[in-house]
Amino acid sequence: MAELSIGATRTESGTRTELIESAIERFGHLPPEAILKEDLLRTGMAFDDSALTDNEDGEVKPKSYFIFSFDHRELPELGSAALRRPPEEIVLTGGPWSLRRTVVSVRVNPTSPYRVAAGEDGVLRLHMDGKPIADVGLPPMPEYYRHPLANGKQVMEVAPTIQWGYLIYLTVFRVCQYFGAKEECQYCDINHNWRQHKKAGRPYTGVKPVEEVLEALALIDRYDTAKLSTAYTLTGGSVTKTVEGLAEADFYGRYAKAIEERFPGRWIGKVVAQALPKADVQRFFDYGIRIYHPNYEVWDKRLFELYCPGKERYVGREEWHRRILDAADVFGARNVIPNFVAGVEMAAPHGFTEVDAAIESTAEGLEYFMSRGITPRFTTWCPEPTTPLGRANPQGAPLEYHLKLLTVYRETMERNKLAAPPGYGPPGAGNAVFSVSSFMDSLPAED
């Protein structure tokens, strides 16, 4: 089958159905759950009013916009979904492919061929081309979201949870110091997401005080009696100068130090930060962090320079990679897990035009790290409309690319005898909770 038929978006009825059915047949070695999930993540989904939440006052955990928008439209273009938020995630089961429990991050796209709506029986279902294909479960409002901080702020604003409650996401610095067209990563809308929520009047604290984070975590610890929350991630924009007088390692590290002193061993501590010099990485570890995510974004040298101009200018691709390898001496290779943004390899105007060429490039990067015991993970690219690459590539990357990536990812892990990376919950279709790509769904379940 020609690559176009997997990647194209057409308006005639049935083409999305044909696309998915063909993909499930051709990629029989992949779980159908992973195939559908990748298409939902790259395409987004629409919501009927019947599927929207009552924000903080309802029974469903609403979307928190915890760092990026992960939407295919800006807030003013989302209609009802801009006022009554969609759920943070959905879980899919059943349907014609007998889907096992599949957790999918919500990326809103009012023109998506996928729509979540209630049927005449009141049951929420995911529809494709107007036909129901799966039952939809919604994340329940956690009890800790119902208890505000002393200053009135919501836990959802300070310490939202994602991955069906597994991960506490602490975006303690809401903006990035890579700023403007000559420095911002060309697929990233962190700075615009900050601006749009401030403009909409939503609470969106730029730098979260350590005391507020600890207070929010105390509420989670108190009311999460089932201990569903297992890990926290400290993250935010890159720091090229200082924030509150602190360079990046000490700025993010002070939160880890406070958390580990207050709640020793309660959660696995993770940090998403730049690839820093080894001495700074050691400070992360000394502060109590146990998993380090120095994201390399895209493997190809030319694309890294073009699509990550700030990171190229301040650190440089080769130095970035050297620092990732050096970090293994501090954390152990298994606990260094750099992310890449799956799909930007094919983004116009400079990306690969052939799926196999893009996969060959990305596979080279996977082998480079996995042969050294470091297991990258990836986020499925969402072409957010305020980013240069999102505007130029509203359809994202072809589904063919994503499915071949899942294939080569698993093959490279098996060849290097690596297990699923820690800090992401269980692997395997029906078990995985990692919601922004299906790499965990596509890995074998653990005994």
Side-chain angles (χ1 to χ4, degrees), residues 186-425:
Q186 300 295 288
Y187 48 80
C188 176
D189 79 342
I190 183 173
N191 287 330
H192 177 78
N193 194 41
W194 155 262
R195 291 190 293 266
Q196 74 169 352
H197 283 274
K198 294 297 288 185
K199 186 176 180 179
R202 294 178 173 179
Y204 223 58
T205 305
V207 177
K208 295 179 181 177
V210 174
E211 295 75 17
E212 286 186 5
V213 171
L214 293 176
E215 186 180 355
L217 290 177
L219 289 170
I220 294 175
D221 186 49
R222 177 180 177 184
Y223 292 105
D224 179 21
T225 55
K227 297 291 190 274
L228 294 177
S229 59
T230 303
Y232 67 83
T233 291
L234 282 166
T235 189
S238 296
V239 179
T240 60
K241 302 177 180 64
T242 61
V243 178
E244 297 186 343
L246 298 171
E248 187 161 308
D250 290 324
F251 171 73
Y252 288 112
R254 67 175 180 171
Y255 294 90
K257 182 175 185 292
I259 292 169
E260 295 303 325
E261 288 177 350
R262 177 77 177 274
F263 308 99
R266 170 63 178 85
W267 299 284
I268 303 167
K270 309 197 291 183
V271 66
V272 180
Q274 297 190 87
L276 297 175
K278 195 171 184 178
D280 289 341
V281 173
Q282 181 65 54
R283 289 213 295 282
F284 276 145
F285 188 86
D286 294 342
Y287 282 132
I289 292 296
R290 290 298 173 261
I291 297 176
Y292 179 39
H293 302 293
N295 302 338
Y296 69 87
E297 316 296 16
V298 62
W299 175 255
D300 181 77
K301 183 178 188 298
R302 182 177 65 96
L303 294 181
F304 183 88
E305 294 169 353
L306 290 168
Y307 292 164
C308 305
K311 291 176 178 177
E312 174 63 24
R313 173 184 171 188
Y314 281 89
V315 181
R317 176 181 178 272
E318 285 70 31
E319 179 63 19
W320 198 284
H321 294 171
R322 278 193 292 271
R323 291 178 179 183
I324 291 174
L325 300 184
D326 285 346
D329 295 336
V330 177
F331 283 92
R334 178 167 167 75
N335 299 313
V336 179
I337 310 170
N339 186 67
F340 63 97
V341 185
V344 296
E345 299 95 325
M346 298 202 69
H350 304 293
F352 293 96
T353 58
E354 299 295 330
V355 168
D356 287 344
I359 292 296
E360 182 179 357
S361 171
T362 303
E364 181 181 285
L366 292 175
E367 181 64 26
Y368 177 84
F369 289 114
M370 289 186 181
S371 65
R372 293 164 171 82
I374 291 170
T375 308
R377 51 99 170 181
F378 59 88
T379 301
T380 301
W381 176 37
C382 177
E384 289 125 331
T386 61
T387 65
L389 295 186
R391 285 192 297 271
N393 304 268
Q395 304 302 326
L399 181 57
E400 178 99 4
Y401 163 85
H402 292 287
L403 303 187
K404 287 188 173 181
L405 173 61
L406 289 174
T407 302
V408 75
Y409 184 91
R410 180 166 171 169
E411 290 174 350
T412 309
M413 283 191 66
E414 291 174 346
R415 184 168 59 252
N416 288 284
K417 297 180 172 56
L418 298 175
Y424 288 93

Side-chain angles (χ1 to χ4, degrees), residues 74 87 98 101 261 406 440 444:
E74 295 185 73
S98 300
R101 183 177 184 273
E261 288 177 350
L406 289 174
M440 289 293 285

Side-chain angles (χ1 to χ4, degrees), residues 8-163:
T9 297
R10 296 172 182 162
T11 57
E12 62 265 27
S13 176
T15 55
R16 184 63 56 149
T17 301
E18 293 168 359
L19 169 73
I20 297 302
E21 288 179 345
S22 172
I24 290 174
E25 181 179 354
R26 294 181 59 218
F27 291 86
H29 57 282
L30 294 176
E33 293 85 356
I35 293 172
L36 179 61
K37 181 171 174 176
E38 283 299 307
D39 202 45
L40 282 165
L41 290 171
R42 76 183 189 96
T43 304
M45 61 188 85
F47 285 83
D48 279 4
D49 286 353
S50 61
L52 296 174
T53 78
D54 294 319
N55 298 329
E56 293 90 339
D57 299 320
E59 297 300 317
V60 175
K61 181 195 289 187
K63 183 169 177 173
S64 60
Y65 291 92
F66 51 88
I67 185 166
F68 313 115
S69 73
F70 282 132
D71 284 339
H72 290 249
R73 297 290 188 275
E74 295 185 73
L75 273 179
E77 301 175 292
L78 296 184
S80 299
L83 301 175
R84 296 178 58 224
R85 299 190 193 193
E88 185 75 77
E89 295 150 330
I90 60 173
V91 64
L92 304 176
T93 53
W97 301 296
S98 300
L99 298 176
R100 290 162 287 186
R101 183 177 184 273
T102 305
V103 181
V104 186
S105 178
V106 165
R107 300 175 172 186
V108 184
N109 180 1
T111 62
S112 172
Y114 296 101
R115 178 171 293 272
V116 179
E120 293 182 358
D121 57 1
V123 176
L124 278 184
R125 294 184 178 89
L126 178 69
H127 297 76
M128 178 175 65
D129 294 331
K131 298 179 180 179
I133 60 168
D135 291 341
V136 172
L138 303 179
M141 179 71 78
E143 181 62 27
Y144 47 80
Y145 270 22
R146 302 186 188 279
H147 299 271
L149 278 63
N151 61 10
K153 287 186 179 181
Q154 301 294 319
V155 170
M156 188 178 75
E157 152 61 14
V158 180
T161 53
I162 59 173
Q163 297 173 26

